[in-house]
Short mmCIF file of all heavy atoms in Angstrom, two decimals:
data_model
loop_
_atom_site.label_atom_id
_atom_site.label_comp_id
_atom_site.label_asym_id
_atom_site.label_seq_id
_atom_site.Cartn_x
_atom_site.Cartn_y
_atom_site.Cartn_z
N ALA A 463 2.75 -1.37 9.06
CA ALA A 463 4.08 -0.78 9.16
C ALA A 463 5.13 -1.84 9.70
O ALA A 463 6.22 -1.92 9.15
CB ALA A 463 4.08 0.41 10.22
N PHE A 464 4.69 -2.73 10.58
CA PHE A 464 5.61 -3.75 11.05
C PHE A 464 5.92 -4.75 9.93
O PHE A 464 7.06 -5.24 9.75
CB PHE A 464 5.01 -4.49 12.19
CG PHE A 464 5.22 -3.79 13.56
CD1 PHE A 464 5.40 -2.48 13.65
CD2 PHE A 464 5.25 -4.56 14.71
CE1 PHE A 464 5.69 -1.84 14.86
CE2 PHE A 464 5.50 -3.96 15.97
CZ PHE A 464 5.67 -2.63 16.01
N ALA A 465 4.91 -5.08 9.10
CA ALA A 465 5.18 -5.96 7.98
C ALA A 465 6.17 -5.36 7.02
O ALA A 465 7.13 -6.06 6.56
CB ALA A 465 3.88 -6.29 7.26
N LYS A 466 6.05 -4.09 6.71
CA LYS A 466 7.02 -3.44 5.89
C LYS A 466 8.35 -3.37 6.46
O LYS A 466 9.41 -3.63 5.81
CB LYS A 466 6.51 -2.00 5.55
CG LYS A 466 7.37 -1.19 4.64
CD LYS A 466 6.80 0.15 4.32
CE LYS A 466 7.78 0.97 3.43
NZ LYS A 466 7.19 2.29 3.12
N ALA A 467 8.51 -3.09 7.76
CA ALA A 467 9.74 -3.03 8.44
C ALA A 467 10.38 -4.35 8.53
O ALA A 467 11.64 -4.47 8.37
CB ALA A 467 9.53 -2.37 9.86
N ARG A 468 9.67 -5.39 8.76
CA ARG A 468 10.20 -6.76 8.76
C ARG A 468 10.75 -7.08 7.42
O ARG A 468 11.85 -7.66 7.33
CB ARG A 468 9.16 -7.81 9.14
CG ARG A 468 8.93 -7.95 10.67
CD ARG A 468 8.14 -9.16 11.04
NE ARG A 468 6.78 -9.20 10.45
CZ ARG A 468 5.77 -8.63 10.98
NH1 ARG A 468 5.90 -8.04 12.20
NH2 ARG A 468 4.61 -8.61 10.46
N GLU A 469 10.03 -6.75 6.33
CA GLU A 469 10.51 -7.02 5.00
C GLU A 469 11.83 -6.32 4.73
O GLU A 469 12.76 -6.89 4.09
CB GLU A 469 9.42 -6.62 4.00
CG GLU A 469 9.77 -6.87 2.57
CD GLU A 469 8.67 -6.47 1.58
OE1 GLU A 469 7.53 -6.90 1.78
OE2 GLU A 469 8.92 -5.62 0.73
N LYS A 470 11.91 -5.08 5.20
CA LYS A 470 13.13 -4.28 4.98
C LYS A 470 14.17 -4.55 6.03
O LYS A 470 15.31 -3.97 5.90
CB LYS A 470 12.77 -2.80 4.96
CG LYS A 470 11.85 -2.40 3.82
CD LYS A 470 11.40 -0.95 3.97
CE LYS A 470 12.53 0.03 3.86
NZ LYS A 470 12.10 1.39 3.88
N ARG A 471 13.86 -5.32 7.04
CA ARG A 471 14.73 -5.63 8.20
C ARG A 471 15.25 -4.28 8.77
O ARG A 471 16.44 -4.06 9.08
CB ARG A 471 16.00 -6.41 7.72
CG ARG A 471 15.57 -7.77 7.16
CD ARG A 471 16.74 -8.60 6.94
NE ARG A 471 16.68 -9.85 6.33
CZ ARG A 471 15.74 -10.76 6.23
NH1 ARG A 471 14.62 -10.53 6.76
NH2 ARG A 471 15.83 -11.91 5.63
N ASP A 472 14.23 -3.42 9.05
CA ASP A 472 14.47 -2.05 9.51
C ASP A 472 14.40 -2.04 11.06
O ASP A 472 13.40 -1.60 11.58
CB ASP A 472 13.51 -1.14 8.87
CG ASP A 472 13.73 0.35 9.18
OD1 ASP A 472 14.71 0.65 9.98
OD2 ASP A 472 13.13 1.20 8.50
N LEU A 473 15.44 -2.42 11.70
CA LEU A 473 15.50 -2.45 13.20
C LEU A 473 15.39 -1.07 13.80
O LEU A 473 14.74 -0.89 14.78
CB LEU A 473 16.84 -3.09 13.62
CG LEU A 473 16.95 -3.32 15.16
CD1 LEU A 473 15.88 -4.19 15.64
CD2 LEU A 473 18.32 -3.90 15.44
N ALA A 474 15.89 -0.10 13.13
CA ALA A 474 15.79 1.33 13.58
C ALA A 474 14.30 1.71 13.78
O ALA A 474 13.96 2.38 14.70
CB ALA A 474 16.54 2.31 12.71
N PHE A 475 13.47 1.36 12.83
CA PHE A 475 12.04 1.71 12.92
C PHE A 475 11.47 1.00 14.15
O PHE A 475 10.74 1.63 14.92
CB PHE A 475 11.27 1.27 11.65
CG PHE A 475 9.84 1.40 11.81
CD1 PHE A 475 9.21 2.65 11.79
CD2 PHE A 475 8.97 0.29 11.97
CE1 PHE A 475 7.81 2.79 11.98
CE2 PHE A 475 7.60 0.41 12.13
CZ PHE A 475 7.03 1.69 12.12
N PHE A 476 11.65 -0.26 14.29
CA PHE A 476 11.12 -1.02 15.48
C PHE A 476 11.60 -0.40 16.73
O PHE A 476 10.81 -0.26 17.61
CB PHE A 476 11.60 -2.52 15.33
CG PHE A 476 10.86 -3.32 14.32
CD1 PHE A 476 11.60 -4.02 13.35
CD2 PHE A 476 9.50 -3.44 14.30
CE1 PHE A 476 10.93 -4.81 12.44
CE2 PHE A 476 8.80 -4.19 13.39
CZ PHE A 476 9.54 -4.87 12.46
N TRP A 477 12.82 -0.06 16.84
CA TRP A 477 13.34 0.46 18.03
C TRP A 477 12.75 1.86 18.33
O TRP A 477 12.40 2.13 19.49
CB TRP A 477 14.87 0.62 18.00
CG TRP A 477 15.43 1.13 19.26
CD1 TRP A 477 16.06 2.28 19.51
CD2 TRP A 477 15.49 0.43 20.51
NE1 TRP A 477 16.50 2.39 20.81
CE2 TRP A 477 16.09 1.29 21.46
CE3 TRP A 477 14.98 -0.78 20.92
CZ2 TRP A 477 16.27 0.87 22.80
CZ3 TRP A 477 15.12 -1.19 22.26
CH2 TRP A 477 15.70 -0.27 23.18
N SER A 478 12.51 2.70 17.37
CA SER A 478 11.92 3.95 17.57
C SER A 478 10.52 3.86 18.05
O SER A 478 10.05 4.61 18.90
CB SER A 478 11.95 4.83 16.24
OG SER A 478 11.11 4.36 15.26
N VAL A 479 9.76 2.82 17.53
CA VAL A 479 8.41 2.54 17.99
C VAL A 479 8.37 2.05 19.37
O VAL A 479 7.67 2.54 20.29
CB VAL A 479 7.67 1.60 17.01
CG1 VAL A 479 6.32 1.16 17.67
CG2 VAL A 479 7.39 2.23 15.74
N PHE A 480 9.24 1.11 19.66
CA PHE A 480 9.29 0.43 20.97
C PHE A 480 9.59 1.49 22.04
O PHE A 480 9.07 1.38 23.20
CB PHE A 480 10.25 -0.72 20.95
CG PHE A 480 10.19 -1.56 22.14
CD1 PHE A 480 9.08 -2.32 22.43
CD2 PHE A 480 11.25 -1.51 23.05
CE1 PHE A 480 8.99 -3.11 23.58
CE2 PHE A 480 11.16 -2.34 24.20
CZ PHE A 480 10.07 -3.12 24.43
N LYS A 481 10.46 2.41 21.75
CA LYS A 481 10.89 3.41 22.79
C LYS A 481 9.70 4.28 23.18
O LYS A 481 9.69 4.86 24.25
CB LYS A 481 11.99 4.34 22.22
CG LYS A 481 13.34 3.62 22.20
CD LYS A 481 14.45 4.60 21.77
CE LYS A 481 14.08 5.60 20.76
NZ LYS A 481 15.17 6.43 20.31
N HIS A 482 8.70 4.39 22.31
CA HIS A 482 7.57 5.28 22.63
C HIS A 482 6.36 4.57 23.19
O HIS A 482 5.37 5.19 23.55
CB HIS A 482 7.12 6.06 21.34
CG HIS A 482 8.17 7.03 20.95
ND1 HIS A 482 9.10 6.73 20.02
CD2 HIS A 482 8.41 8.29 21.33
CE1 HIS A 482 9.90 7.80 19.87
NE2 HIS A 482 9.48 8.76 20.67
N LEU A 483 6.41 3.26 23.37
CA LEU A 483 5.39 2.48 24.02
C LEU A 483 5.38 2.80 25.51
O LEU A 483 6.45 2.83 26.09
CB LEU A 483 5.51 1.01 23.77
CG LEU A 483 5.38 0.60 22.32
CD1 LEU A 483 5.65 -0.94 22.22
CD2 LEU A 483 3.98 0.90 21.77
N PRO A 484 4.19 2.95 26.11
CA PRO A 484 4.17 3.13 27.56
C PRO A 484 4.73 1.89 28.25
O PRO A 484 4.52 0.79 27.80
CB PRO A 484 2.67 3.21 27.88
CG PRO A 484 2.00 3.64 26.59
CD PRO A 484 2.92 3.00 25.49
N ASP A 485 5.52 2.11 29.27
CA ASP A 485 6.11 1.02 30.07
C ASP A 485 7.01 0.15 29.24
O ASP A 485 7.16 -1.04 29.53
CB ASP A 485 5.05 0.23 30.82
CG ASP A 485 4.22 1.07 31.67
OD1 ASP A 485 4.76 2.00 32.41
OD2 ASP A 485 3.00 0.82 31.81
N SER A 486 7.63 0.69 28.20
CA SER A 486 8.50 -0.21 27.37
C SER A 486 9.64 -0.76 28.09
O SER A 486 10.13 -1.79 27.81
CB SER A 486 8.96 0.53 26.14
OG SER A 486 9.70 1.67 26.47
N ASP A 487 10.14 -0.03 29.10
CA ASP A 487 11.28 -0.54 29.90
C ASP A 487 10.91 -1.84 30.58
O ASP A 487 11.79 -2.73 30.70
CB ASP A 487 11.72 0.52 30.93
CG ASP A 487 12.33 1.69 30.26
OD1 ASP A 487 12.85 1.53 29.11
OD2 ASP A 487 12.45 2.73 30.88
#
Side-chain angles (χ1 to χ4, degrees):
F464 276 28
K466 180 177 179 178
R468 275 192 300 273
E469 182 179 306
K470 293 174 64 176
R471 299 187 188 332
D472 190 350
L473 185 59
F475 171 75
F476 286 124
W477 184 247
S478 70
V479 168
F480 190 68
K481 288 188 317 186
H482 290 95
L483 294 176
D485 301 322
S486 62
D487 291 338

